[in-house]
Amino acid sequence: MFRFQLKPSVFEFKTFDEFLDHFKINQDDTIFTEKFLYEKYIQGKANCNFIFYDDYGSGEPSDIAVYKILKDIHGKKIKRIIGIGGGTILDIAKLLSMRDAKSTEEILKTKYRWSGIRGLYLYRQHAELAVR
């Protein structure tokens, strides 16, 4: 059963500030990341909402952590999810982009009633995240 198709575009930025400026990150957006990245590189630079994986779990993603995050954002008006971090963060951000999803089970077992997808931006954590 065909549900949807994503056609990604790849951008490259020299600094994190360039990324924020290019995509006009604002109060309708939510950045999903880890606290240490927020504190070291992001704090005070982005006027948007934040979700920290650290508040829900650590290490590899779990259904329980994703369920708790989906529950907390359910019904909120989020236009774009911006995942900033490593593999766990980017994987969970993809699930968070599913508008009105309530659990990973619902999404993966095709019980998900399609209500659209939020914009999704993934920023891979690496040494160049720091603003110079």
Side-chain angles (χ1 to χ4, degrees):
M1 170 189 321
F2 182 78
R3 292 274 182 152
F4 66 93
Q5 181 176 15
L6 298 176
K7 294 183 181 183
S9 298
V10 178
F11 296 83
E12 184 175 352
F13 300 97
K14 291 183 181 181
T15 67
F16 184 64
D17 282 349
E18 287 180 20
F19 169 81
L20 292 173
D21 186 53
H22 179 82
F23 290 110
K24 308 289 186 232
I25 306 303
N26 62 61
Q27 294 174 342
D28 294 331
D29 299 318
T30 297
I31 291 179
F32 178 62
T33 190
E34 294 175 275
K35 287 180 183 176
F36 87 92
L37 289 172
Y38 171 80
E39 291 166 357
K40 189 168 184 179
Y41 302 113
I42 304 169
Q43 191 169 16
K45 296 178 189 230
N47 184 22
C48 63
N49 302 297
F50 291 89
I51 300 171
F52 301 108
Y53 181 58
D54 317 61
D55 292 339
Y56 298 92
S58 63
E60 293 298 315
S62 72
D63 289 345
I64 294 168
V66 174
Y67 171 78
K68 289 178 182 177
I69 298 167
L70 288 171
K71 182 179 174 190
D72 285 351
I73 68 170
H74 185 75
K76 291 186 179 178
K77 294 185 180 186
I78 299 171
K79 288 190 178 177
R80 300 183 292 186
I81 294 286
I82 298 109
I84 300 174
T88 294
I89 298 297
L90 303 185
D91 287 344
I92 293 174
K94 294 170 199 172
L95 293 172
L96 300 181
S97 71
M98 306 296 287
R99 190 179 318 274
D100 297 325
K102 294 179 183 157
S103 70
T104 53
E105 182 179 6
E106 177 186 59
I107 295 168
L108 300 175
K109 292 189 177 182
T110 65
K111 294 178 184 176
Y112 178 65
R113 297 191 114 163
W114 180 257
S115 63
I117 191 165
R118 297 177 171 102
L120 176 64
Y121 297 86
L122 303 175
Y123 193 99
R124 178 78 171 137
Q125 168 198 344
H126 55 77
E128 297 302 316
L129 184 65
V131 176
R132 299 182 202 281

